Amino acid sequence: MSVTPIQPPIPKLKREAIVSALKKGARVDGRGFEDFRPITIELNPIPRRSNGSALVKLGNTSILVGVKISVERPFPDRPSEGVLQVHAEFVPLASPSFEPGPPDENAVEVARVIDRCLRESKSIDLGELVIVPGKYSWSIYNDIYLLDHDGNVTDASTLASMAALNVARLPKLVSVENDQVKIDYGTMDKQLPVKLNVVTVTLVKIGGYILLDPNLDEEILAEAKVTVGIDSGGRIVGIQKSGGGLSVSELNYAVDTAIKKSRELLTLLEKALKTV
Amino acid sequence: MSGRPTLIGEDGLRHDNRRPDELRSIKMEVGVLKNADGSALVEFGNTKVIAAVYGPREPPAKYMLSPEKAIVRCRYHMAPFSTAERKSPAPSRREIELSKVIREALESAIFTELFPRSAIDIFIEVLQADGGTRTAGLTAASLALADAGIPMRDLIAAVAVGKIDGVIVLDIDELEDEYGEADMPVGMMPSLNQVVLLQLNGVMTREEFDAAMNLAVKGIFEVYRLQKEALSKKYMLYIEE
Amino acid sequence: MANIYVANRQIVKPGDLLAEGDDAIAGSYTYKVGGKVYGTVIGLAEVKENAVSIIPLEGVVVPREGDLVIGVVVGVGVTNWFIDIRAPYKAVLNAGEAIEQFNPLTDDIRKYFDIGDYVLAKVLIFDRSRGPILTTKAKGLGKIVEGLVIDVKPSRVPRIVGKRKTMVEALTSLTNCSMTVAVNGRIWIKCPNSLLEDIVIRAIRKIESEAHIPGLTDRIRRFIEDEKRRAGIP
């Protein structure tokens, strides 16, 4: 069951400062309406145990993604495809408002939105991940770990997932004989078949203004939020609106801005991946 | 892929002979449960959803209450017999997500500030699933809220549009969802031109998104008209007697 | 000049555009945004010049200070009772508001009201942060020990009472039953016999289901007279 979250109130002065800055065309942290916070991408911070990993900082929001790959039986309805699964954990060390326990609706939502964007865009060619149809295929587990929460977890998580999947390597397939596979999990081998990159761009509406990349205060104040998934071909590969309502023209503006700003994230990602 | 059905025939019609911009046959009935403060049954073709509202009432636990407004609790749930293969009654990740987006959509319509320290509970049960269950559920829940007399900015009307065989179509069913390229559920407060639920699962160009949104709005106004009719009907019956 | 789009007593629904214009006034159960007045509930429109309001046909009633309510005792503390009054909030009746010179050391308050008792009470204090707190100190208030209590939709109470009490007077004078109508949708009825009790209850149910149809008082009068004739009551 989904329940209205009871949030600690934002002090009135802080709220007024945010809104009055917006009226002057600025944000409290000095950004323009369409600016991202500073972004850093660190590749493979978990080199020994994960098949691929990335640490992304979006302002003070910090996301670690680890990819684990193993051989499993494919789903019966998709015998000639590998499996991709995205999960997210909002662990209690990331925020005073998080409690230990199974993923709550916010973590589930983030994971599912990213899962859909990757799946629908066919970012990873799951057909190349089959070893013996119906029997063996590669299962890719993309686990999102929120370490520090300062808003816009989705965009940071998508970026970290995409970076980790790009650097991830399959364990070495030693042999396939008589329907038996031998895997050397200790040796990293081929790269994942990443066909195109996907990013998400999130915007919120506060007091009638549409802002890119909200920090936590802005997110709590927001009347509505919309996340748009964009692939490297400029196509829309997913949308998720949350919170309250937006007019059709506000949505169109958000989608246009997302498409435009996705280029920045994709360029940043490609630049980081070149350093490998 | 083998065994993929043709979704748009040579005559331009869909597998169930609908035009691309045609809704399925829709039925709505308000006040279908005795115990609930408000209830509604909504059908889009073979999709059948029932919604019940309880409250505003005392929240089950003190820590849940807000001194500013009513909290809204919402569960979207699929009956085990509603799907082709039996669905486990335990809440799935999909149901957790949909409960959240539906709750947020409804919460944007309800005047929760009128009932501080109370809870409004909304239960949606999918009885038979054939595509568009979240939009049918949202449509039903909004009717149930109206039936419970809970003040709202507007009713919420919802429908899913999609892209199948490259064509943008209205009110997709399960087959079209499964084999199509995109599914886009949309919910609105039509009088206020506010989109309160929007998800896109699939790939669209910018132009296709525009076309899909326009088609969704068109469908939503028809669903809205049927909602108003269903609400009136509850009070018309007595006059005919 | 405001444009009014609804007629008096017309059934309106949430989101209906009721009126438009800078001088259009949004009355109860309506709201105004961008110069337009919309309805928020299903109900009957009431138009007075530029103002539109709605009499709701459904919904809970949040009682106000001074309102008469009938509650059920659902909990007993050391010095108070917890009372269900069919509102979103549980009401509290403190012993001092029910018993003269209450002494918690010697008095067992369950002797006065016990769990399951109906209590006729008045709302003493109720604001956004506190209450409702009840009192039974005035004349006629207290435990209900005879007759019966029926639940009706709280939104129907104004129709059951009627304008200037016309409806409740018709009901009581034609059936010789006494009736106490509480705002929280509970009615205490005392009748001379069970035939009349049955008729008055059915009349109340008829009001509940036909509250939105004009000419109700006359219809109810005819209904009671017909039913009495059928039952052979003069």
Side-chain angles (χ1 to χ4, degrees), chain A residues 68-76 78-85 87 126 129-143 170-171 173 179 181 183 185:
Chain A
K68 294 288 277 183
I69 303 174
S70 56
V71 170
E72 286 175 10
R73 187 179 279 272
F75 287 123
R78 310 223 171 232
S80 37
E81 284 185 13
V83 173
L84 170 71
Q85 284 199 31
H87 293 273
L126 298 178
L129 293 174
V130 68
I131 303 167
V132 179
K135 293 211 163 143
Y136 301 106
S137 69
W138 296 107
S139 289
I140 319 293
Y141 291 90
N142 182 96
D143 279 291
L170 298 169
L173 182 62
D179 280 359
V181 295
I183 312 288
Y185 278 104

Side-chain angles (χ1 to χ4, degrees), chain B residues 152-153 191-192 224 228, chain C residues 2-21 24-33 35-55:
Chain B
M152 288 187 285
R153 288 172 178 84
S191 291
L192 305 175
Y224 188 54
K228 296 256 171 121
Chain C
N3 292 312
I4 307 289
Y5 300 122
V6 285
N8 225 3
R9 297 264 135 193
Q10 184 183 326
I11 292 187
V12 294
K13 284 143 264 171
D16 280 1
L17 178 61
L18 307 177
E20 201 171 351
I25 297 166
S28 55
Y29 294 98
T30 72
Y31 72 107
K32 191 172 180 180
V33 60
K36 293 175 174 173
V37 177
Y38 295 98
T40 68
V41 292
I42 184 146
L44 301 174
E46 271 210 325
V47 183
K48 273 184 198 141
E49 290 171 15
N50 287 351
V52 185
S53 56
I54 300 176
I55 305 165

Side-chain angles (χ1 to χ4, degrees), chain B residues 56-58 68 111 113 115-118 146-149 151-154 191-192 224 228 232 234-235 238-239, chain C residues 11 13-16 31 38-42 57-60 62 88-90 127-131 209 212-213:
Chain B
R57 61 181 178 181
E58 255 184 297
E68 305 286 326
F111 284 95
E113 60 271 30
F115 305 101
R117 300 188 292 131
S118 73
D147 186 38
M152 288 187 285
R153 288 172 178 84
D154 196 1
S191 291
L192 305 175
Y224 188 54
K228 296 256 171 121
S232 301
K234 189 183 163 188
Y235 298 93
Y238 300 117
I239 294 176
Chain C
I11 292 187
K13 284 143 264 171
D16 280 1
Y31 72 107
Y38 295 98
T40 68
V41 292
I42 184 146
L57 284 166
E58 307 291 342
V60 298
V62 178
Y89 317 97
K90 205 161 281 157
D127 54 44
R128 278 174 77 91
S129 60
R130 209 154 50 107
S209 62
H212 57 293
I213 309 170

